[in-house]
Amino acid sequence: MCGIVAGVSGQNIVPLLIDGLKRLEYRGYDSAGIALLQKGEILRLRAQGKVQSLEEKVREAKPSAHTGIAHTRWATHGIPSEINAHPHVSGKIALVHNGIIENYQLLREELQGAGFKFSSQTDTEVVAHLINFYYMKEQDFLTAVRKASQRLEGAYALAVICADRPDEVIGLRRGSPLVLGLSDSQGIFVASDIFALLAITRSYLTLEQGELVHVQGKGYQLYDS
Ligand code: GLU
């Protein structure tokens, strides 16, 4: 069972995300990663093994950002490795994923046919390319995530960011758990469980099956399936 922690904060989100990942370590994992929105670009750092290895990379890179997604992976498709670690990126889209995409093989062939190049062995990378495919077509972040999710079979939770949307995160729950944490001082977060957010807030709500949350700065909107 892997872990997701992501959010939009008024302050540097990096230490909050790393703290969240450490609090998710009890769930078990084989690698960890983080993606941040910095000056309209996606900065991604990943490491096989412990969150501490990721933390060392973060310490060297010294990133600072208000918006980010972070993940501890428990491999189901593809070996534990840095290349297979999340976040996965396609164009302006980056995401972390918990669970399994059952129809990933079919989608992979379809996306390869459309010219997308795969760099990992995961089922997750299909989702990144699929959202990017719809984003390039629709030029709308929320629409792209919704259209892609309609094509996915399986049980999963996702947290997604878009380089064109500096203060936004979209969280989606279908099967795997996801909570929304709210803090006036620290921001709005999504996570696999409340333990990830204990240093940030005790105020949270659990997303229902099929629910999507669109965090935009200090506000958020919930959508049912
Ligand atoms: N199926 C995905 C993978 O193998 C996600 C696994 C997880 O939930 O950590 O990368």
Side-chain angles (χ1 to χ4, degrees):
M1 219 177 20
C2 80
I4 289 173
V5 55
V8 179
S9 177
Q11 49 191 275
N12 181 15
I13 199 166
V14 179
L16 300 173
L17 294 179
I18 296 292
D19 178 80
L21 287 184
K22 287 184 181 163
R23 291 173 190 270
L24 290 169
E25 283 189 294
Y26 79 94
R27 296 161 71 100
Y29 67 102
D30 54 60
S31 51
I34 189 168
L36 305 161
L37 291 183
Q38 275 198 154
K39 299 184 186 119
E41 308 247 320
I42 294 167
L43 172 74
R44 174 174 63 169
L45 297 166
R46 299 180 292 177
Q48 192 181 341
K50 293 286 163 201
V51 172
Q52 207 184 327
S53 309
L54 175 67
E55 207 178 2
E56 279 158 25
K57 290 190 175 185
V58 166
R59 216 172 286 134
E60 263 175 46
K62 296 189 185 61
S64 178
H66 293 291
T67 302
I69 53 179
H71 189 259
T72 50
R73 174 177 188 238
W74 186 311
T76 64
H77 293 65
I79 55 164
S81 68
E82 188 173 328
I83 281 179
N84 287 335
H86 302 207
H88 287 280
V89 175
S90 178
K92 295 188 167 182
I93 301 295
L95 63 81
V96 290
H97 161 225
N98 175 8
I100 291 174
I101 307 302
E102 308 279 2
N103 59 336
Y104 84 99
Q105 197 61 48
L106 264 174
L107 291 170
R108 190 176 169 119
E109 282 160 24
E110 181 184 321
L111 288 159
Q112 278 170 331
F116 286 90
K117 300 266 176 287
F118 282 75
S119 58
S120 81
Q121 308 156 325
T122 62
D123 51 342
T124 304
E125 195 180 357
V126 159
V127 189
H129 289 316
L130 196 60
I131 296 174
N132 185 25
F133 171 77
Y134 286 115
Y135 184 67
M136 289 192 295
K137 230 164 104 175
E138 308 279 346
Q139 292 297 311
D140 183 76
F141 183 30
L142 177 62
T143 307
V145 174
R146 293 180 97 167
K147 287 209 162 175
S149 71
Q150 285 159 6
R151 306 274 322 272
L152 302 177
E153 287 165 21
Y156 57 88
L158 300 171
V160 193
I161 52 175
C162 172
D164 291 333
R165 298 291 185 160
D167 298 313
E168 297 185 19
V169 169
I170 292 178
L172 176 60
R173 173 186 187 190
R174 201 173 288 164
S176 305
L178 207 62
V179 300
L180 179 68
L182 306 165
S183 158
D184 286 341
S185 59
Q186 316 238 46
I188 304 182
F189 290 77
V190 292
S192 297
D193 65 36
I194 55 165
F195 299 112
L197 304 177
L198 282 181
I200 297 168
T201 184
R202 303 284 155 112
S203 168
Y204 70 92
L205 56 95
T206 303
L207 293 196
E208 301 294 332
Q209 288 301 344
E211 235 172 9
L212 179 152
V213 61
H214 189 186
V215 180
Q216 291 176 283
K218 290 182 175 167
Y220 68 91
Q221 186 78 43
L222 283 172
Y223 299 90
D224 62 24
S225 54

